[in-house]
Amino acid sequence: APAVALRERAAAPDSRWRGRRHRLVVVPMANPDGFLAVEGGLARGERRFRRANAAGVDLNRNFAVGWDDRYYLNRLLPWIFSPGTGPLSEPETCAIDGLLGAVRPTYAVSLHAFGEWIFLPYAGSRRPPAHLEQMLAIARGMAMAQPERPYRVLQLARRSRLFQARGAEIDHFYERHGALSFL
């Protein structure tokens, strides 16, 4: 898993983290229900990802910043993009929000994006974040550190005129907790 590999890399003897006054906090799995559903499906020969927890809520749309149950994709495709009954209505998103509130990280990286993209806030709005240039520089550095795969960097809401990820974690982590955030 990427989160476990990151933790191991940070703890390695030659890590740039060694000797610094940084703290790395890793949440190895934010959606255990979805993970178990995918594992069960793979055991049955299914090839399909699952976005939702056991309650059918897409945790990637359940964070408070930008949460919107009236967004057209949530209404058209509720079996994919169900944002829940309210912002932070799910125990998983509440736990992550509480952790970030307690830790107050400088950076937050969510390791679950699809295919060779590094996304920045905002996901639910096309407006540029105040720290856009700083986040672009960091994200470009992250992309260059992956020479075997050509990663691209972009604000998520600017990937398509027809798509926004309302209630996404990167917007919440950035706006509510002040963390420079990446997906």
Side-chain angles (χ1 to χ4, degrees), residues 25-183:
V25 177
V26 176
V27 177
M29 185 180 308
N31 186 358
D33 297 335
F35 175 80
L36 290 173
V38 168
E39 288 292 304
L42 289 172
R44 293 186 299 277
E46 298 172 9
R47 290 268 188 231
R48 185 169 177 265
F49 70 93
R50 307 251 184 350
R51 299 180 61 87
N53 66 3
V57 174
D58 179 353
L59 300 176
N60 300 324
R61 302 295 179 271
N62 189 243
F63 287 91
V65 173
W67 185 88
D68 183 359
D69 66 340
R70 300 297 305 151
Y71 181 57
Y72 84 97
L73 282 178
N74 298 348
R75 289 181 289 132
L76 285 174
L77 305 169
W79 59 92
I80 298 174
F81 299 118
S82 173
T85 58
L88 300 172
S89 64
E90 303 307 299
E92 300 92 340
T93 54
C94 279
I96 292 169
D97 180 63
L99 175 64
L100 267 69
V103 172
R104 301 299 297 172
T106 304
Y107 307 98
V109 179
S110 184
L111 300 172
H112 73 91
F114 52 92
E116 288 137 8
W117 285 93
I118 298 173
F119 292 117
L120 316 171
Y122 286 100
S125 165
R126 294 178 63 83
R127 70 187 160 105
H131 299 91
L132 178 62
E133 292 306 316
Q134 185 180 4
M135 285 191 282
L136 282 170
I138 292 167
R140 288 177 183 135
M142 293 163 69
M144 288 175 46
Q146 306 298 320
E148 68 281 354
R149 296 178 77 176
Y151 277 80
R152 294 167 282 178
V153 174
L154 186 69
Q155 276 184 268
L156 181 52
R158 294 183 179 274
R159 183 157 186 248
S160 166
R161 289 192 178 280
L162 302 174
F163 173 79
Q164 292 182 353
R166 306 274 177 92
E169 73 275 27
I170 57 174
D171 294 359
H172 186 85
F173 297 168
Y174 177 67
E175 199 164 295
R176 179 166 286 184
H177 297 291
L180 301 183
S181 301
F182 308 89
L183 169 63

